[in-house]
Amino acid sequence: MRCPTLAELPSPPPDKTGWPWTEETASLPETMPDGSAWPRISIVTPSYNQGQFIEETIRSALLQGYPNLEYIIIDGGSTDNSVEIIKKYEPWLAYWVSEPDHGQSHAINKGIQKATGDILLWINSDDICLTSSFTKATLVFYSNPNSGLVTGQAWVINHLGQNVGELRSNFTTWEELATNPRNSIRQISTFFARKVFDELGLVDENLHIAMDTELLVRITKLYPPLVLEDYLTAYRVHSETKTFHQLIRGYQESDQTRPKYLAGVNLICQYRRRSSLNWLSLSESQIYPLRERAICLYYALKNRPSVIYSRNFWSSLKKLAKDFLHNHRS
């Protein structure tokens, strides 16, 4: 299906302007510069109770001006107005469903299994695609037909859609990426060739927070990413964004999954060292509750017991104790 024009879509709410409410990406020619057909792009949006944001997500995908789009929404049985909004855009969706599922990873896999595109992107129901992002990714794949994924940069936006930061993607070697607990490739701005899922499997449904980083470590070992400086998507932070408790869970999942990729290449010690330093850094952040900071300190020690002999560990412990006493006296 070709992307609809702005005039063909439902009118935006009266208080919404700019991209993707009152602006659109210019439509591309029906064929690529060499006369060949544009490859199909499949966009998968896992959704659950994000009715205040999902319309912006949908419009940001539909208004790309791309000639061969397949848009799939997998809703987990939302109880807010999400389904009402999805139905508004039903004529331009290849498939959508609203039913209980087993979480985000399961929803993503349901969408990938339905998808028929040569290129896939999953974009959550509170994030957005930026103008011309589909075209930019497609042209890179076209120039590099053996590539498995193309990734770009991402803005961070708030609940009003205002830029408040950025999420940078970079890549040097697989070893560096695989031993980095924070990861250096951002899934939100990564387009995947269909073949990588056919060859290497889908998202691990046992993971609920770190499923994207696990997938990227798994894929990039065989398919080094092509990294663009262009900003392709925007990640939204708001009151319903993953909490610090979930952040901890994500790093716990990384600690559990990375060893199976690192054991055979003698990188476990390097990962444990970097993970321990990451936990130490989290334990020192005063924006997080004391209990969670203590948990982070525990995981720093668990990952690398010898950290107890380091100045960093004792410095973090002293800061934690000082903040605990301060709060207790208050």
Side-chain angles (χ1 to χ4, degrees):
M1 183 196 78
R2 70 169 180 83
C3 283
T5 64
L6 187 63
E8 292 171 322
L9 291 183
S11 299
D15 59 332
K16 300 293 186 180
T17 59
W19 172 260
W21 301 108
T22 56
E23 297 175 6
E24 61 186 323
T25 304
S27 296
L28 293 170
E30 290 300 315
T31 60
M32 297 187 74
D34 65 355
S36 61
W38 291 91
R40 178 171 297 171
I41 287 184
S42 295
I43 307 300
V44 174
T45 292
S47 163
Y48 185 70
N49 283 347
Q50 294 288 354
Q52 69 269 47
F53 301 122
I54 190 173
E55 186 168 15
E56 189 171 2
T57 304
I58 293 172
R59 292 176 71 95
S60 76
L62 294 180
L63 288 172
Q64 289 286 325
Y66 194 79
N68 195 0
L69 173 68
E70 178 182 64
Y71 194 10
I72 295 167
I73 299 178
I74 307 296
D75 184 80
S78 290
T79 56
D80 63 358
N81 62 335
S82 294
V83 172
E84 177 185 345
I85 293 171
I86 293 169
K87 286 181 177 179
K88 281 175 59 178
Y89 294 89
E90 187 172 23
W92 300 279
L93 303 179
Y95 176 83
W96 75 276
V97 67
S98 180
E99 61 187 13
D101 54 39
H102 305 303
Q104 187 180 20
S105 298
H106 182 219
I108 293 165
N109 282 344
K110 286 169 63 176
I112 293 173
Q113 289 168 329
K114 282 285 183 183
T116 63
D118 305 293
I119 301 169
L120 290 94
L121 168 75
W122 90 70
I123 184 92
N124 293 331
S125 54
D126 50 355
D127 303 327
I128 64 172
C129 303
L130 301 180
T131 58
S132 301
S133 58
F134 296 1
T135 306
K136 292 172 182 176
T138 298
L139 291 176
V140 176
F141 274 114
Y142 178 75
S143 301
N144 301 271
N146 295 322
S147 59
L149 62 163
V150 171
T151 190
Q153 313 306 320
W155 291 117
V156 178
I157 58 176
N158 62 15
H159 67 288
L160 298 174
Q162 300 164 330
N163 285 4
V164 294
E166 61 180 350
L167 292 174
R168 298 289 301 174
S169 285
N170 60 77
F171 180 81
T172 52
T173 65
W174 178 81
E175 289 78 10
E176 194 286 327
L177 179 135
T179 58
N180 182 357
R182 291 180 179 260
N183 218 341
S184 52
I185 296 293
R186 308 297 182 175
Q187 167 273 316
I188 185 178
S189 55
T190 299
F191 290 76
F192 298 86
R194 174 75 207 199
K195 64 184 178 184
V196 302
F197 296 109
D198 296 335
E199 293 176 19
L200 302 174
L202 302 177
V203 175
D204 186 341
E205 294 182 14
N206 294 313
L207 303 177
H208 301 282
I209 308 297
M211 65 282 191
D212 52 349
T213 57
E214 186 278 337
L215 179 69
L216 288 165
V217 168
R218 187 180 355 137
I219 290 175
T220 54
K221 189 171 185 179
L222 291 181
Y223 292 101
L226 299 172
V227 182
L228 309 182
E229 281 300 310
D230 300 82
Y231 288 82
L232 303 181
T233 54
Y235 171 78
R236 194 186 302 272
V237 291
H238 54 90
S239 60
E240 301 301 319
T241 307
K242 292 176 180 176
T243 64
F244 184 61
H245 174 74
Q246 292 173 301
L247 180 67
I248 290 178
R249 185 179 178 186
Y251 287 131
Q252 288 173 328
E253 289 180 350
S254 289
D255 285 348
Q256 293 164 6
T257 59
R258 294 294 176 91
K260 66 181 178 181
Y261 298 111
L262 302 176
V265 288
N266 299 318
L267 292 172
I268 289 182
C269 289
Q270 185 175 342
Y271 173 78
R272 295 297 188 197
R273 179 182 62 80
R274 298 183 73 179
S275 181
S276 181
L277 291 173
N278 179 54
W279 285 115
L280 281 180
S281 175
L282 290 171
S283 75
E284 294 180 359
S285 180
Q286 294 181 323
I287 66 173
Y288 301 131
L290 286 169
R291 182 179 181 277
E292 279 75 9
R293 289 170 59 189
I295 291 173
C296 293
L297 198 60
Y298 164 76
Y299 279 108
L301 186 61
K302 181 179 180 181
N303 266 278
R304 194 182 182 211
S306 63
V307 76
I308 198 171
Y309 301 112
S310 72
R311 291 182 179 180
N312 286 344
F313 176 82
W314 290 104
S315 174
S316 298
L317 183 59
K318 287 178 181 179
K319 289 179 181 177
L320 189 61
K322 180 180 178 181
D323 291 339
F324 174 79
L325 291 174
H326 176 77
N327 289 358
H328 184 71
R329 289 168 181 166
S330 300

